[in-house]
Each structure stands twice: as structure tokens, then as C-alpha cells.
């Protein structure tokens, strides 16, 4: 149940969006231009699975309330360097059907002005440009929408009591939390855990890696000629692969060729076989796919019952950079 509006005290003033590197989907705007409107500020970065799963709700609120006094502003603050490429961001938000304004915040100026620390993060601003509520992470969507409705009513706008009804699909669908047994796993040595290749990490140098015969749960391995950097691992020659023993409905991999790099073809195997009905949206039933720019690729969505599975992705071309596995 929504708290009484007096229980939503002022948390601060809406900061200016000064220091942003670019603005997509809109003409430039000012704080003065936002005054008088309820504002929802949504922090995210386009490869973050948690932000992706919150997106359908923010999109639905923008559609439902934009004509009744709500302004939604997205803030794209990158985790990885490639997420600061405006062409990448523009392509991603178009493919994700993000129709509200998006501020590109490569230097973290807006992030710091809000003293933000999370993707996703929502800040709820009243018509007097005062921050009245915030929410970090996924979930509590009904509560968040009721806060928006409360702020609109405070501004004198008649808003119906009903909430939007959506059923997110594809990669935007909520995680299967009950069966999620694998954590986010970075590939670069700066944050990597669970690498099972017997060679260990040879940082920042080309090295030929091999896969062990058996992988324990939540361990992974490289095979082939790779250069493991602090953030990504780069495949130098065709034929390399990554294997992962996981337990989750969904498996995603943030990867892609560097900017202006050629597309990289790949194949996916699940327990040594084509994934069939367990394929994700970015491959076919035979496990075939192409990475044409750096983003999050959904490779597996396995039907119930969920169990431990052995995943392998093999690359037919050199030039892929692999960043992080995420699960759902």
C-alpha cells in the first residue's frame, strides 16, 4: 500500500543535467522547462540486464502519463567504455524501443550530481522540481507507479487509480528468481572469478588457453588464442571458445567486435548439442548467431525444469571481445 504523501519528504532538488555528453530522442531542455511537470529520472546502461528488465515498466509509464504531465528522462551512464559510444547508444535505444529523451552521461557528471550508485535507479520528482522518492534495482513497480500518480495528483492532474498492465516478453521478462543459481560473472581479470582454464590468467598478453575436462558449477573456461585484459578478453584467432557450467533459465553474454570491427559469427552448444527450444532470442535453434556490435546477447532461455547445464560458445571469426555473463 502506498504511504501517505506526507511520508514522502523532500530528498533534494532536481539537479541540472549539466555535463552530459549528448542528448538523444529530444531537443535540448532545461530545468526551467521541466518545472511544473512531474519528472521520472531513470538511470541505466544499455547492457545491464537489471535495467533491461525494468525498461518495459518505464516505457509503459512514459506512454501512459506523458500526456498528463509526466516527463521521463533516461540517463545512460556507461559501465563499459563502449557504452559511451553515442552511435552504440543510439542504435541500442532504438532497438530497445526507448522513445523518451536519453542523456548520455559518459563523464558521470549527472550520476555524481544525483549522488547515484546503481543501475537501474529511479528518481521521482514533483512539479516543484523536488526529489520526493527513489528506488534502486528491479521490482516494486506498482509502488513506483502509485508514487507517480500521487505526484501528478499533487500537481492538480486528475489521474485514474488503475495501474498499467504489461507482460514483458523476451529479454525484458523478469528473471526466474526461484531457479537462478548462477551469479554475474566478469571475463576480464579485473573482476573475474571462476576461471577454470589450467593456464590461469596471463594478463594483457596473447596466450593459448585450454578447457578442463569437467567444469564445476559457476566455473568457466577459455579455449584458443585470447588476450585477457582488465575488462574484456579479446579473441585473436578464429576457433576460440568459452564454456560455462551454469544453473539458470537464461544465459546472456555482453560481447561484440570493437567499434568498426567486422561482425563475428558464432555457434552455441548446450550440453554438447544445438540448443533447440532452449535457444535465446539472439540465436536460432541450431545455435547460430552473429555479433555485429557490442551489447548484451541472450543466448539461452531453457524451458522448465531448470537444471545445471554446460554451455559453450565457439567463434568462427577472430575479433570478439567478451565482457560479462549475466543470468535470469
Amino acid at each position: 500500500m502506498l504511504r501517505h504523501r506526507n511520508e514522502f519528504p523532500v530528498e533534494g532538488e532536481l539537479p541540472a543535467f549539466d555535463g552530459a555528453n549528448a542528448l538523444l530522442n529530444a531537443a535540448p531542455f532545461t530545468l526551467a522547462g521541466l518545472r511544473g511537470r512531474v519528472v521520472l529520472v531513470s538511470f541505466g546502461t544499455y547492457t545491464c540486464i537489471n535495467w533491461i528488465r525494468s525498461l518495459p515498466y518505464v516505457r509503459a509509464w512514459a506512454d501512459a502519463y506523458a500526456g498528463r504531465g509526466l516527463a521521463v528522462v533516461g540517463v545512460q551512464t556507461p559501465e563499459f567504455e563502449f557504452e559511451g559510444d553515442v552511435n552504440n547508444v543510439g542504435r541500442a535505444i532504438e532497438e530497445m524501443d526507448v522513445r523518451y529523451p536519453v542523456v548520455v552521461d559518459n563523464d558521470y557528471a549527472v550520476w555524481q550530481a544525483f549522488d547515484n550508485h546503481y543501475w537501474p535507479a529511479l528518481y521521482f520528482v514533483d512539479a516543484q522540481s523536488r526529489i520526493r522518492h527513489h528506488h534502486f534495482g528491479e521490482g516494486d513497480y506498482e509502488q513506483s507507479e502509485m508514487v507517480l500518480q500521487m505526484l501528478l495528483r499533487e500537481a492538480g492532474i486528475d489521474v485514474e487509480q488503475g495501474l498499467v498492465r504489461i507482460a514483458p516478453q523476451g529479454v525484458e521478462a523478469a528473471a526466474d528468481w526461484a531457479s537462478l543459481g548462477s551469479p554475474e560473472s566478469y571475463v576480464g581479470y579485473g573482476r573475474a572469478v571462476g576461471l577454470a582454464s589450467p593456464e590461469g590468467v596471463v594478463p594483457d598478453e596473447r596466450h593459448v588457453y585450454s578447457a578442463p575436462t569437467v567444469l564445476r558449477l559457476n566455473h568457466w573456461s577459455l579455449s584458443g588464442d585470447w588476450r585477457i585484459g582488465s575488462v574484456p578478453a579479446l579473441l585473436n584467432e578464429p576457433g576460440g571458445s568459452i564454456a560455462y557450467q551454469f544453473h539458470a533459465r537464461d544465459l546472456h553474454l555482453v560481447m561484440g567486435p570493437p567499434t568498426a570491427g567486422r561482425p563475428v559469427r558464432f555457434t552455441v552448444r548446450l550440453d554438447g548439442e544445438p540448443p533447440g527450444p532452449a535457444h535465446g532470442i539472439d540465436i536460432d535453434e541450431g545455435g547460430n548467431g552473429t555479433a555485429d556490435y557490442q551489447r548484451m546477447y541472450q543466448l539461452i532461455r531453457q524451458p522448465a525444469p531448470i537444471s545445471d547445464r554446460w554451455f559453450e560458445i565457439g567463434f568462427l571469426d577472430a575479433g570478439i571481445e567478451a565482457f560479462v555473463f549475466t543470468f535470469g
Side-chain angles (χ1 to χ4, degrees):
M1 181 178 294
L2 184 67
R3 295 177 290 170
H4 189 272
R5 72 182 192 179
N6 291 336
E7 297 182 65
F8 289 91
V10 174
E11 299 180 0
E13 296 293 317
L14 174 64
F17 294 92
D18 297 341
N21 303 89
L23 175 64
L24 305 178
N25 283 356
F29 57 84
T30 63
L31 286 184
L34 292 173
R35 185 171 289 276
R37 303 190 70 184
V38 172
V39 181
L40 177 65
V41 180
S42 171
F43 280 85
T45 188
Y46 78 82
T47 67
C48 174
I49 184 58
N50 309 99
W51 174 78
I52 291 169
R53 291 194 293 241
S54 71
L55 174 60
Y57 297 91
V58 177
R59 184 195 297 121
W61 300 332
D63 290 345
Y65 301 110
R68 290 184 275 179
L70 175 66
V72 176
V73 179
V75 183
Q76 158 68 33
T77 309
E79 177 180 8
F80 302 115
E81 184 177 351
F82 67 81
E83 292 174 305
D85 184 302
V86 174
N87 291 327
N88 283 349
V89 177
R91 178 173 176 179
I93 66 172
E94 181 178 2
E95 291 175 354
M96 295 176 171
D97 195 25
V98 178
R99 299 185 291 274
Y100 48 81
V102 175
V103 172
V104 180
D105 183 35
N106 291 347
D107 299 323
Y108 279 59
V110 181
W111 178 281
Q112 292 169 3
F114 278 80
D115 192 27
N116 185 53
H117 301 277
Y118 304 98
W119 300 283
L122 297 174
Y123 293 88
F124 301 77
V125 182
D126 67 19
Q128 286 74 50
S129 296
R130 303 173 301 182
I131 299 174
R132 298 283 298 282
H133 185 59
H134 64 266
H135 180 74
F136 302 141
E138 299 179 59
D140 287 341
Y141 300 116
E142 291 187 358
Q143 165 88 0
S144 293
E145 186 176 359
M146 287 189 286
V147 172
L148 291 176
Q149 292 181 347
M150 180 200 74
L151 295 179
L152 290 168
R153 292 190 190 100
E154 284 186 9
I157 299 167
D158 184 21
V159 178
E160 298 149 358
Q161 292 284 346
L163 303 177
V164 299
R165 299 296 178 193
I166 61 173
Q169 301 296 316
V171 71
E172 295 180 345
D176 183 356
W177 299 109
S179 67
L180 182 54
S182 290
E184 185 176 59
S185 297
Y186 287 83
V187 178
Y189 66 78
R191 299 176 68 179
V193 295
L195 176 62
S197 292
E199 298 79 12
V201 173
V202 181
D204 299 317
E205 295 181 10
R206 290 183 65 163
H207 192 76
V208 176
Y209 292 88
S210 61
T213 305
V214 177
L215 280 175
R216 290 183 292 143
L217 180 63
N218 296 329
H219 285 67
W220 56 280
S221 65
L222 298 175
S223 180
D225 186 339
W226 293 84
R227 178 186 179 276
I228 303 179
S230 175
V231 180
L234 170 67
L235 178 62
N236 298 297
E237 299 289 343
S241 64
I242 310 175
Y244 199 116
Q245 185 78 8
F246 76 103
H247 187 107
R249 183 193 66 195
D250 302 339
L251 180 147
H252 319 105
L253 178 58
V254 176
M255 64 176 179
T259 302
R262 297 176 58 184
V264 175
R265 298 165 298 159
F266 61 86
T267 58
V268 165
R269 293 293 179 264
L270 196 60
D271 297 333
E273 301 292 337
H279 72 95
I281 62 173
D282 288 305
I283 61 173
D284 61 23
E285 290 192 355
N288 304 298
T290 300
D292 55 354
Y293 78 109
Q294 290 170 321
R295 65 175 176 88
M296 190 197 78
Y297 291 80
Q298 186 191 71
L299 303 176
I300 297 295
R301 169 160 287 175
Q302 60 168 316
I306 307 305
S307 60
D308 292 1
R309 307 296 294 271
W310 180 81
F311 163 89
E312 183 178 31
I313 180 168
F315 299 99
L316 282 65
D317 306 297
I320 199 75
E321 287 186 324
F323 292 83
V324 60
F325 285 93
T326 60
F327 301 91

